[in-house]
Amino acid sequence: MNLRDGYAEACAAVAAAWALPARLTVSEWADRHRVLTAKASSEPGPWRTARTPYLREIMDVLSAHHPATDVVFMAASQVGKSEVGNNWVGYTIDHDPGPMLFVEPTIDMAEKYSKQRLAPMIEMSEVLRERIPPARKRDSGNQTLQKDFPGGVLMLAGANSASGLSSMPIKKLLLDEVDRYPPDVDDEGDPIDLAEQRTVTFPRAKRYKASTPGRLAMSHIAKEYETSSRGQLWLPCPHCHEKQVLVRENLRWSKTTDPATGKRVHQPHTARYVCEHCGVEIEERHKTWMLERGEWRHRNPERKKLGYQLSALYTPIGLGRSWAKVAEE
């Protein structure tokens, strides 16, 4: 090898060492590295954002390079709001490390999440296993409520314990099921306020709040959504292709009269969605096609607090409540 070749190789090595990591979004990270387990998913195997395409934008605004500071997701159960948080955690550990706090309504729920959701996610992902050593090693930094990794730490806490909400500064805050948090914790105030105070020292901090809404008058997630960009998912009709927001009022089903009693009998298994534009009934088998072509539209797109609202009517086929189940409820 001559000197010129050696110099070129040295320059290449230095360039590789100083090269910036690939500009990856949260959804891209999940599609590459996330694997779902049979314990945590009805469809185990590699994560596919295409299965729940409406989650792509919500995940990607949590990416390091996106300017959004706050992301609010008000949604029905089983539409994927927790999976957004899981993928953000994995992305943070592997691609954009820093101090992160994950808050569940109670400490018991935080421990349960760590053991039943977080630990299997780490075990099933090669890149996460490389960054978080096995918990069986005492000095591994892999504890139930704290996961150390190069460049950062993930702490888990319950909203019912002030001590877990008021220690070191954090760059990323994930608040799960906020409408189930107590209004006051240990006489120190609102647990959400306590957790958010830990992000003030980071000018580029990100906060993600997700919850199924409780009673509207007392719902924290509903108030957060109202002061956000107020995004709604618009889906096209498979017949006229006009887009619309799915609402309960347009879900229809058959009713018959019981000849013995004369009472009206509901038949929720016949549930169909009626297009607000052409009036044609849409069968649920069209939902996959509709979701693939959906788009988020924001009433206040200029706001840095991005809000997303999703009802059970959008649940992908096979992943949660069907239209028939919604009609029955």
Side-chain angles (χ1 to χ4, degrees):
M1 180 179 70
N2 59 42
L3 291 177
R4 180 172 293 181
D5 290 339
Y7 177 75
E9 287 187 4
C11 289
V14 171
W18 285 93
L20 295 174
R23 187 166 171 167
L24 213 62
T25 64
V26 174
S27 68
E28 289 171 340
W29 181 90
D31 283 331
R32 293 184 189 184
H33 302 296
R34 179 90 189 275
V35 179
L36 300 172
T37 67
K39 292 182 178 180
S41 174
S42 60
E43 296 182 357
W47 167 272
R48 294 181 297 119
T49 301
R51 188 71 172 92
T52 50
Y54 51 82
L55 296 181
R56 186 182 305 277
E57 180 177 321
I58 306 174
M59 288 190 285
D60 289 352
V61 299
L62 289 168
S63 304
H65 54 270
H66 196 281
T69 57
D70 293 85
V71 180
V72 177
F73 193 11
M74 179 175 68
S77 60
Q78 298 181 310
V79 298
K81 58 185 183 294
S82 294
E83 295 299 353
V84 170
N86 293 334
N87 290 335
W88 191 32
V89 167
Y91 171 89
T92 297
I93 295 171
D94 176 47
H95 186 74
D96 184 40
M100 186 177 196
L101 175 64
F102 190 131
V103 183
E104 289 281 10
T106 67
I107 295 177
D108 288 344
M109 291 178 68
E111 292 179 344
K112 183 177 180 180
Y113 166 81
S114 179
K115 296 174 182 177
Q116 298 184 2
R117 301 296 296 276
L118 181 58
M121 182 175 75
I122 294 171
E123 178 61 28
M124 295 296 289
S125 171
E126 181 179 353
V127 295
L128 297 182
R129 290 199 308 271
E130 291 175 352
R131 285 156 179 76
I132 299 182
R136 59 179 176 270
K137 297 181 179 179
R138 291 186 177 181
D139 58 346
S140 68
N142 184 350
Q143 304 170 46
T144 301
L145 297 180
Q146 181 171 321
K147 308 292 183 182
D148 295 329
F149 50 91
V153 59
L154 171 65
M155 294 172 291
L156 297 103
N160 61 343
S161 173
S163 60
L165 303 174
S166 55
S167 56
M168 63 178 285
I170 57 168
K171 185 179 181 180
K172 301 181 181 185
L173 176 62
L174 197 165
L175 302 172
D176 190 37
E177 294 298 344
V178 295
D179 274 15
R180 298 173 64 182
Y181 288 10
D184 181 83
V185 53
D186 299 337
D187 294 325
E188 293 191 26
D190 186 340
I192 297 174
D193 290 340
L194 291 176
E196 289 185 322
Q197 282 298 313
R198 296 177 60 176
T199 67
V200 296
T201 58
F202 285 91
R204 297 185 62 186
K206 280 184 179 286
R207 293 163 288 270
Y208 172 59
K209 296 179 183 177
S211 187
T212 299
R215 292 185 178 182
L216 187 60
M218 302 175 62
S219 173
H220 181 87
I221 200 70
K223 293 176 183 177
E224 287 287 328
Y225 178 76
E226 286 301 312
T227 59
S228 72
S229 63
R230 297 178 65 188
Q232 292 180 301
L233 188 63
W234 291 64
L235 302 185
C237 169
H239 306 294
C240 70
H241 291 194
E242 291 292 330
K243 290 185 175 179
Q244 59 207 286
V245 174
L246 303 189
V247 294
R248 292 285 181 96
E249 291 77 12
N250 288 344
L251 186 68
R252 312 287 172 81
W253 55 92
S254 301
K255 305 176 186 67
T256 60
T257 301
D258 186 334
T261 63
K263 294 182 179 181
R264 298 283 282 173
V265 179
H266 291 260
Q267 297 179 311
H269 66 277
T270 65
R272 302 286 191 275
Y273 192 87
V274 178
C275 174
E276 66 181 51
H277 298 288
C278 66
V280 177
E281 290 186 345
I282 303 171
E283 296 180 20
E284 190 162 22
R285 62 185 176 87
H286 292 294
K287 193 193 290 186
T288 300
W289 180 91
M290 296 165 69
L291 289 172
E292 290 172 349
R293 293 159 178 79
E295 65 172 324
W296 287 103
R297 296 181 183 178
H298 297 263
R299 294 187 182 184
N300 306 304
E302 74 285 351
R303 294 182 180 175
K304 285 192 174 183
K305 180 195 288 187
L306 299 180
Y308 300 85
Q309 183 268 334
L310 208 63
S311 76
L313 294 175
Y314 292 89
T315 307
I317 296 173
L319 292 184
R321 283 180 288 178
S322 62
W323 285 350
K325 184 63 176 177
V326 173
E328 180 183 336
E329 292 173 352

